[in-house]
Amino acid sequence: VTTLAQGTEVVVDGEAQSKSGTARCHVVEPVVGWVSGKVLRSATARRKPRLAVLHGTAANSVIAKIQLAALIPRLSDFEVVFVDGPRACSDENPHVASMRRIFGKTQVLREFARATEDARGWRTYDGVEEALKETEDAMRTHFPRDPPEVLVGFSQGANFATMLAARAERRGTPYACCLLFCGARPGWARQLPDVFDRPLATPALLVAAANDAVVGDGPYEMANLFASSRVLS
């Protein structure tokens, strides 16, 4: 791509610095190629909305892509970015053995925090505040300039996506929405009373699996954290 008519609407999915230090941007619509920042200024740039995916416990981005293989082709209007949990799983994690059996012994399994339970049997996390800071740092490595518009989470990733959404909302920088698969009963909300002091305004679509022996009615309990939510089963 060398020229663009003034006012042309383009979609940009990346940028880089040339050897001369000039900013170059990668255009994907209506044609594909690199243009200089000067050329791009004569066009109207729009970026695909970005979607961050947080995997479940004892998993990673590779596994998340497999688990969401049926969904990903339907997200062509989004830039989809998979975020790895910042902590490596120990063999004490009860899900490690089954995940290695299903996805292979060479997988480097990760998590966002070590899972615990409160007196009710609801999901909590050791050192949840520090774990959230580490997760936000991991997010910034993928989105150094500004955060993604949408959070998607599966299992532990759904729990952390909800906590990230709550923290962002209280900072005045809310996400557009959350898509949450198979989250657990949110004992962690009591661990963070400053951000879960009222229902979240961020819209959420939650997905529950029938007869889920791991999280039970977790998605329905999580839905109560949001002022605007819907649960699909």
Side-chain angles (χ1 to χ4, degrees):
V1 179
T2 55
T3 61
L4 291 168
Q6 186 168 357
T8 301
E9 187 176 74
V10 299
V11 175
V12 176
D13 73 347
E15 64 179 51
Q17 297 290 322
S18 67
K19 291 182 179 179
S20 63
T22 303
R24 300 172 68 242
C25 302
H26 190 240
V27 176
V28 293
E29 290 180 16
V31 289
V32 178
W34 290 88
V35 299
S36 71
K38 180 179 179 181
V39 169
L40 188 63
R41 283 194 292 273
S42 70
T44 301
R46 62 183 177 90
R47 184 186 62 201
K48 286 187 175 183
R50 294 162 305 163
L51 186 154
V53 180
L54 281 64
H55 59 75
T57 188
N60 53 44
S61 293
V62 173
I63 292 173
K65 290 175 184 178
I66 296 170
Q67 292 172 321
L68 298 177
L71 176 64
I72 299 306
R74 300 176 182 272
L75 299 175
S76 58
D77 290 336
F78 294 86
E79 177 187 348
V80 181
V81 177
F82 289 81
V83 179
D84 276 317
R87 302 181 182 184
C89 282
S90 74
D91 289 339
E92 295 177 0
N93 185 311
H95 301 284
V96 163
S98 61
M99 293 297 282
R100 290 199 189 285
R101 185 170 61 252
I102 296 169
F103 294 103
K105 295 181 179 180
T106 61
Q107 290 284 352
V108 178
L109 302 180
R110 308 195 67 81
E111 63 186 359
F112 295 93
R114 190 177 77 86
T116 53
E117 290 184 349
D118 64 16
R120 301 168 296 168
W122 287 32
R123 174 64 62 231
T124 53
Y125 292 100
D126 275 349
V128 67
E129 290 274 8
E130 183 61 29
L132 280 168
K133 291 177 182 177
E134 292 175 0
T135 303
E136 288 172 338
D137 288 343
M139 292 279 287
R140 279 190 285 271
T141 64
H142 293 282
F143 307 98
R145 296 193 174 187
D146 48 16
E149 287 74 22
V150 181
L151 290 176
V152 176
F154 172 72
S155 191
Q156 187 180 96
N159 303 338
F160 268 77
T162 303
M163 291 185 269
L164 292 176
R167 284 162 67 97
E169 189 172 307
R170 300 304 181 244
R171 287 194 295 261
T173 56
Y175 291 94
C177 63
C178 295
L179 175 58
L180 308 169
F181 294 87
C182 303
R185 299 182 182 102
W188 34 264
R190 290 189 179 182
Q191 294 181 283
L192 302 166
D194 291 344
V195 295
F196 288 105
D197 57 334
R198 58 189 183 276
L200 302 182
T202 305
L205 177 64
L206 301 96
V207 180
N211 304 315
D212 191 325
V214 176
V215 302
D217 63 352
Y220 295 92
E221 295 291 350
M222 282 179 61
N224 294 327
L225 300 175
F226 296 87
S228 177
S229 64
R230 180 181 178 187
V231 181
L232 299 180
S233 179

